[in-house]
């Protein structure tokens, strides 16, 4: 290994491993100090690890409805998120296209969207439960899906709309000169030109779905990371709250990275 | 009878007259160049002929038929190439060929596309995307795409203005030789007097706006094929160039014009803390900016 390569290796090691570890270390120290001094109920890092061990080393174990390995819970949550997210995309993308294409449509629905967009998932969930009350036992699941879909579709709607509006007039003129049909213009020009924006929306939407699932599970008591978190809070096992938070964060981060990879594939010049 | 005819065509945008009483008559097979300053309605004139915009008053006809909308009988080569970035060179041309000749068999279509790619000497790059091509190559693809739909008239809207001088000269020669071989009617819009003199049968200066119009046309009786090196010493060429340049300057070189356009900035949430630092405050959707571009 020559010295230049070595330097490069060292720099990458420092940037990617050493510096992030320093950040982690600072948080661990503050956490330990806090649990030892002013927040007596906060379990220390070591206690957290000991209490979490069975859930982490056997991540897919199933010991009971609310006593399962952490990845098994994560898997339940991800399944619910996937469903809600797909619904959000299926509804959000066409709405975004209409908003981008039609000024009238924008004038009709934009104020409504701007009002509904900032509404918290915690506010939507009760409405979802009421909407699907006839489903009986399944009301919780449907309510959660409704909440995920309605909260996470806005970035897709808005980014798609912006993307459609940002399609260069020149591209559309190409279609006009060639007298392409409306359908052909949509599939060969509008859609590919909007894809990069759409995928940015998809990525942001995925982040929100993951945010919403935790809240939805907490309120409905569905098995999943969020449900687990809330149950352990009620059972006074605070170590598991921290475990859940870490898992939620890591999963959210991985989802975001995966979507970025997909997104970057659709970046056109 | 003239092939392309514009009679008293006027067009204004938002109360500002851009073109006023434009009259133009072009014979079949003629190469006409329109020269003028930037931002004086040259592109508007081209959009009108292409049918992409409608005139406020006046009439446009192509071989007696009124122009009501865009169509493949008028092949427009755009200033900024307008190639679809997600398609390869061949796919870009194929899209046009398939749209205009829907009855071709796949084999005929491929042969047709290949022929025009070869015409602009890009056979080696047919599977590349526009982002992998240089500016000159992109414009050649754009020219090939337009020629491939076999238009009755070729509209070149400042096709070479974004290119460097050497590439520009090469492409001028290519356009010249392609024109010599099939003698299509061509309208070239340019801001280069030399380019106009090299290529055109007739040069028409565009006066300064607002409310620009076409000045009297100047026939270019230089013999073809025109060689750019020899032309530089040709007294006739020098005389024409001086005449046209002076005429253009006479329209008011001291005048500047400015166009103001509205920019809506995207609403961006910071997501990446690694982003390079920029010396300006972050901007948001709520700030609708106005940008003023001053051009001579």
């Amino acid at each position: 290994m020559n010295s230049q390569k070595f330097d490069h290796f060292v720099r990458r090691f420092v940037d990617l491993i050493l510096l992030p570890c320093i950040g982690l270390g600072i948080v661990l120290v503050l956490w330990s100090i806090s649990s030892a001094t002013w927040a007596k109920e906060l379990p220390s890092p070591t206690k957290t690890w000991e209490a979490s061990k069975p859930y982490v080393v056997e991540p897919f174990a199933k010991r009971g409805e609310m006593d399962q390995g952490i990845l098994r819970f994560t898997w339940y949550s991800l399944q619910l998120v996937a469903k809600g997210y797909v619904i959000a995309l299926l509804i959000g993308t066409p709405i975004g296209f209409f908003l981008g294409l039609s000024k009238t449509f924008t004038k009709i629905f934009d104020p409504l969207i701007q009002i509904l967009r900032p509404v918290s998932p915690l506010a939507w969930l009760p409405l979802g439960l009421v909407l699907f009350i006839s489903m009986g036992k399944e009301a919780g699941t449907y309510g959660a899906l409704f909440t995920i879909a309605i909260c996470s579709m806005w970035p897709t709607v808005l980014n798609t709309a912006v993307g459609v509006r940002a399609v260069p007039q020149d591209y559309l003129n190409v279609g006009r000169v060639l007298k392409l049909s409306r359908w052909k213009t949509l599939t060969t020009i509008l859609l590919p030109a909007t894809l990069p924006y759409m995928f940015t929306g998809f990525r942001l939407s995925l982040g929100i779905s993951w945010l919403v699932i935790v809240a939805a599970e907490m309120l409905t008591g569905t098995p999943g990371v969020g449900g687990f978190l809330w149950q352990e809070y009620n059972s006074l096992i605070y170590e598991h709250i921290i475990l859940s938070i870490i898992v939620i964060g890591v999963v959210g981060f991985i989802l975001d990275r995966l979507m970025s990879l997909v997104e970057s594939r659709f970046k056109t010049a | 009878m003239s092939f392309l005819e514009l009679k008293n065509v006027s067009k204004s945008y938002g109360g500002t007259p851009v073109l006023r009483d434009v009259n133009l008559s072009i014979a079949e097979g003629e190469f006409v160049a329109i020269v003028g300053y930037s931002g004086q309605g040259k592109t508007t004139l081209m959009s009108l002929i292409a049918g992409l915009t409608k005139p406020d008053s006046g009439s446009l006809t192509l071989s007696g038929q009124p122009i009501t909308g865009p169509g493949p009988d008028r092949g427009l080569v755009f200033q900024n190439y307008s190639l679809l970035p997600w398609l390869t060179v061949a796919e870009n041309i194929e899209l046009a060929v398939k749209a205009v000749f829907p009855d071709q068999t796949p084999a005929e279509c491929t042969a047709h596309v290949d022929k025009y790619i070869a015409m602009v000497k890009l056979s080696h790059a047919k599977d590349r995307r526009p982002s992998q091509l240089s500016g000159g190559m992109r414009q050649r693809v754009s020219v090939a795409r337009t020629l491939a739909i076999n238009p009755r008239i070729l509209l070149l809207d400042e096709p070479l203005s974004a290119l460097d001088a050497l590439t520009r000269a090469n492409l001028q020669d290519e356009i010249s030789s392609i024109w010599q071989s099939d003698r299509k009617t061509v309208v070239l819009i340019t801001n280069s007097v030399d380019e106009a003199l090299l290529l055109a049968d007739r040069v028409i200066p565009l006066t300064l706006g607002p409310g620009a119009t076409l000045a009297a046309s100047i026939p270019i009786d230089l013999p073809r094929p025109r060689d750019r090196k020899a032309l530089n010493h040709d007294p006739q060429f020098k005389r024409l160039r001086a005449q046209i340049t002076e005429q253009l300057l006479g329209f008011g070189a001291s005048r500047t014009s400015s166009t103001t356009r509205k920019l809506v900035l995207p609403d961006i949430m910071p997501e990446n803390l690694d982003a390079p630092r920029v010396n300006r405050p972050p901007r948001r959707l709520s700030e609708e900016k106005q940008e003023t571009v001053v051009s001579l």
Side-chain angles (χ1 to χ4, degrees):
Chain A
M1 201 187 281
N2 60 37
S3 77
Q4 203 183 351
K5 252 187 180 166
F6 182 73
D7 272 3
H8 181 73
F9 178 79
V10 168
R11 177 155 305 155
R12 278 184 69 84
F13 175 80
V14 168
D15 282 358
L16 294 177
I17 298 181
L18 199 65
L19 292 178
C21 279
I22 291 177
L24 194 66
I26 292 173
V27 170
L28 282 174
V29 167
L30 288 177
W31 176 6
S32 307
I33 294 174
S34 298
S35 73
T37 55
W38 60 275
K40 292 285 185 209
E41 287 297 318
L42 180 72
S44 69
T46 30
K47 262 185 81 188
T48 304
W49 167 243
E50 274 157 21
S52 306
K53 221 172 154 187
Y55 294 85
V56 178
V57 292
E58 282 181 82
F60 291 102
K62 182 167 183 174
R63 292 175 285 262
E65 176 77 348
M66 273 299 175
D67 186 12
Q68 308 185 26
I70 197 70
L71 287 188
R72 205 181 177 90
F73 277 133
T74 308
W75 177 240
Y76 293 147
S77 298
L78 281 174
Q79 280 176 322
L80 205 57
V81 162
K83 286 180 201 155
Y85 178 61
V86 168
I87 297 171
L89 298 196
L90 290 180
I91 300 174
T93 315
I95 294 181
F97 259 92
F98 284 122
L99 282 175
L101 288 173
S102 158
K103 284 219 162 84
T104 319
F105 193 89
T106 306
K107 281 174 194 154
I108 295 173
F109 289 108
D110 191 55
L112 207 61
I113 289 174
Q114 298 306 336
I115 289 171
L116 294 183
R117 201 161 61 102
V119 174
S120 150
L122 296 172
W124 282 115
L125 191 70
L127 184 67
L129 295 177
V130 171
L131 277 176
F132 296 100
I133 205 156
S134 56
M135 299 291 180
K137 258 186 71 139
E138 291 293 291
T141 312
Y142 283 100
L145 284 181
F146 166 81
T147 311
I148 295 171
I150 206 160
C151 290
S152 68
M153 74 179 191
W154 306 121
T156 297
V157 169
L158 296 176
N159 276 283
T160 307
V162 170
V164 171
R165 271 183 224 142
V167 175
Q169 185 62 41
D170 290 321
Y171 296 174
L172 297 174
N173 282 345
V174 170
R176 288 176 68 197
V177 167
L178 296 175
K179 291 203 163 164
L180 298 180
S181 66
R182 271 169 170 267
W183 176 249
K184 193 95 175 123
T185 309
L186 181 73
T187 52
T188 55
I189 297 178
L190 272 178
L191 202 62
T194 316
L195 268 184
Y197 288 84
M198 278 165 58
F199 271 91
T200 304
F202 291 173
R203 180 168 59 81
L204 297 175
S205 284
L206 185 61
I208 293 187
S209 326
W210 186 242
L211 220 71
V212 171
I213 185 74
V214 177
E217 282 176 357
M218 281 168 83
L219 289 184
T220 57
T222 335
V225 209
F228 177 67
L229 191 157
W230 190 244
Q231 186 219 229
E232 299 304 277
Y233 166 69
N234 287 326
S235 331
L236 310 179
I237 310 174
Y238 300 144
E239 290 85 355
H240 293 166
I241 297 181
I242 295 168
L243 171 69
S244 302
I245 289 175
I246 294 170
V247 169
I248 292 166
V250 169
V251 171
F253 175 72
I254 292 171
L255 289 179
D256 191 69
R257 286 295 99 179
L258 288 178
M259 264 323 265
S260 304
L261 285 182
V262 180
E263 194 187 347
S264 62
R265 267 195 56 83
F266 285 93
K267 282 261 185 287
T268 41
Chain B
M1 190 189 132
S2 61
F3 184 57
L4 174 74
E5 179 126 40
L6 277 70
K7 272 191 190 145
N8 301 321
V9 171
S10 299
K11 175 76 189 173
S12 52
Y13 283 112
T16 321
V18 178
L19 294 171
R20 188 183 291 151
D21 288 331
V22 173
N23 289 288
L24 176 66
S25 164
I26 296 175
E28 187 149 19
E30 201 180 6
F31 196 131
V32 172
I34 295 168
V35 285
Y37 290 103
S38 301
Q40 297 304 325
K42 286 185 305 204
T43 298
T44 305
L45 181 61
M46 214 43 135
S47 302
L48 286 168
I49 300 174
L52 293 168
T53 42
K54 287 193 165 50
D56 298 337
S57 62
S59 69
L60 297 96
T61 52
L62 186 71
S63 63
Q65 299 291 315
I67 293 172
T68 52
D73 55 340
R74 282 147 289 139
L76 178 60
V77 175
F78 297 86
Q79 185 174 355
N80 39 11
Y81 328 133
S82 291
L83 300 173
L84 303 179
W86 52 89
L87 298 180
T88 63
V89 168
E91 285 166 345
N92 261 294
I93 299 174
E94 193 185 283
L95 174 74
V97 171
K98 275 192 175 152
V100 178
F101 306 106
D103 299 330
Q104 281 185 341
T105 64
E108 280 172 342
C109 180
T110 313
H112 190 119
V113 170
D114 287 347
K115 177 184 151 195
Y116 284 92
I117 295 178
M119 184 184 275
V120 294
K121 304 183 186 105
L122 281 176
S123 300
H124 62 286
K126 61 183 273 198
D127 294 320
R128 286 199 221 159
R129 287 179 201 281
S131 56
Q132 297 165 295
L133 302 177
S134 68
M137 290 162 95
R138 288 183 209 182
Q139 192 54 287
R140 271 155 48 197
V141 178
S142 181
V143 168
R145 179 176 64 182
T146 306
L147 290 172
I149 61 174
N150 195 23
R152 301 175 63 194
I153 182 166
L154 201 56
L155 307 173
L156 308 174
D157 181 8
E158 297 203 36
L160 311 177
S161 61
L163 304 176
D164 64 275
L166 286 174
T167 316
R168 197 170 173 156
N170 275 333
L171 269 174
Q172 283 166 355
D173 293 343
E174 255 176 64
I175 290 175
S176 179
S177 72
I178 290 171
W179 182 77
Q180 304 245 3
S181 62
D182 69 1
R183 297 269 162 175
K184 230 175 243 315
T185 314
V186 179
V187 182
L188 167 74
I189 281 187
T190 178
N191 53 18
S192 156
V193 176
D194 286 17
E195 186 172 290
L197 286 173
L198 185 72
L199 296 170
D201 296 322
R202 198 145 60 93
V203 172
I204 309 176
L206 187 72
T207 65
L208 272 188
T213 193
L214 295 175
S217 67
I218 300 153
I220 309 300
D221 40 15
L222 298 167
R224 287 180 193 268
R226 296 171 188 164
D227 175 68
R228 70 176 61 250
K229 273 174 280 171
L231 273 185
N232 275 326
H233 308 288
D234 186 308
Q236 172 75 342
F237 172 82
K238 285 185 195 165
R239 191 185 57 73
L240 284 165
R241 181 166 66 176
Q243 183 193 343
I244 295 167
T245 310
E246 227 162 86
Q247 195 175 353
L248 285 171
L249 290 172
F251 292 145
S254 58
R255 276 205 31 212
T256 58
S257 72
S258 70
T259 40
T260 302
R261 54 190 170 203
K262 212 158 102 183
L263 292 175
V264 180
L265 299 160
D267 201 355
I268 298 166
M269 277 192 283
E271 292 195 325
N272 183 0
L273 297 177
D274 287 338
R277 204 173 284 274
V278 186
N279 277 330
R280 57 170 167 70
R283 296 186 290 196
R284 308 215 127 246
L285 181 67
S286 45
E287 294 178 56
E288 267 191 8
K289 291 260 168 161
Q290 298 235 310
E291 184 189 57
T292 302
V293 182
V294 178
S295 57
L296 184 67

